[in-house]
Amino acid sequence: MVMISLTEILLLTEAAPQDSVLINAVNDKKIIAIYYKGDRENSPGWRTGIIPVCFGLTDGKKYLRVWQTAGKTLTEVPGWKLFRVDRISNINVLSKKTADSVPDSRFNPSGDRQIQNVLAIAKF
C-alpha cells in the first residue's frame, strides 16, 4: 500500500495546469474558467468567461493572454488580462463552448507585446 501525505496531496492539487491543456484551449478557442491564486495586487478567486488567445513565455515564465468577461478582477470586465500560469491552480475547460471571435479589435493575430515567445495563438 502506498501512503500519500496531506502535504503531497495539497501540492498535487496546486500544480499549474499542463501546457498542453492551455495550448489546446487557445488553439480550439475554448471558453474556460480559472482559479487564480492572486498576487500583491489581485486577490485569489475564480476568473470566468475567459477566452484564451495567446500562451507563451517571457523571461522564463509562462503567461496566458485572455479576454475575460466575468469573475474577480481589479480592472473592468470585459477586458484584456494577462495571467502568470504558475499562479493558476485550477482550470475548467467548458468543452461545449467555443469563441467565434474576440469582441475587441485590438487582438493581434501575429503576437503579443508582453509575451516574447508565443507557443500558441488563436486563429479567428
Side-chain angles (χ1 to χ4, degrees), residues 26-93:
V26 169
N27 289 336
D28 297 339
K29 299 178 281 249
K30 294 291 187 183
I31 298 173
I32 65 172
I34 62 171
Y35 188 86
Y36 197 62
K37 293 188 276 187
D39 53 30
R40 280 183 256 161
E41 299 156 359
N42 295 294
S43 61
W46 281 98
R47 276 58 167 175
T48 56
I50 289 176
I51 302 169
V53 298
C54 188
F55 172 75
L57 299 165
T58 296
D59 297 328
K61 292 188 172 91
K62 296 173 191 166
Y63 288 91
L64 182 66
R65 168 73 66 200
V66 306
W67 178 260
Q68 181 181 345
T69 63
K72 287 189 146 220
T73 182
L74 286 177
T75 57
E76 196 172 304
V77 288
W80 290 108
K81 310 294 179 201
L82 185 67
F83 294 108
R84 270 188 41 186
V85 173
D86 64 339
R87 293 186 178 149
I88 298 172
S89 64
N90 199 348
I91 180 171
N92 291 328
V93 178

Side-chain angles (χ1 to χ4, degrees), residues 6 9 13 15 17 22 24 29 34 37 60-61 72 74 77 80 88-89 92 95 101 103 105 107-108 114 116-117:
L6 181 57
I9 291 170
T13 60
L22 293 175
N24 288 338
K29 299 178 281 249
I34 62 171
K37 293 188 276 187
K61 292 188 172 91
K72 287 189 146 220
L74 286 177
V77 288
W80 290 108
I88 298 172
S89 64
N92 291 328
S95 62
S101 65
S105 62
F107 171 64
N108 179 1
Q114 293 177 297
Q116 296 167 346
N117 184 13

